[in-house]
Amino acid sequence: MAEKRSLSGLTEEEAVEVHDQFKTTFSAFLIVAAVAHVLVWVWKPWF
């Protein structure tokens, strides 16, 4: 029996894996960006 695939060509399980990895990397990016903004603000508060 063929697996059901979505428009992206991924199965439900593959799509969940991709989404979980995306959430992890996006959260890490947000944390790095927030730290960078705080460091610039500490360095030059008027910047």
Side-chain angles (χ1 to χ4, degrees), residues 3-25:
E3 293 179 356
K4 184 177 179 188
R5 296 194 177 264
S6 64
L7 291 175
S8 66
L10 299 175
T11 63
E12 181 73 22
E13 295 80 21
E14 291 170 336
V16 169
E17 289 178 25
V18 169
H19 184 66
D20 288 340
Q21 185 63 38
F22 175 79
K23 289 190 299 186
T24 301
T25 56

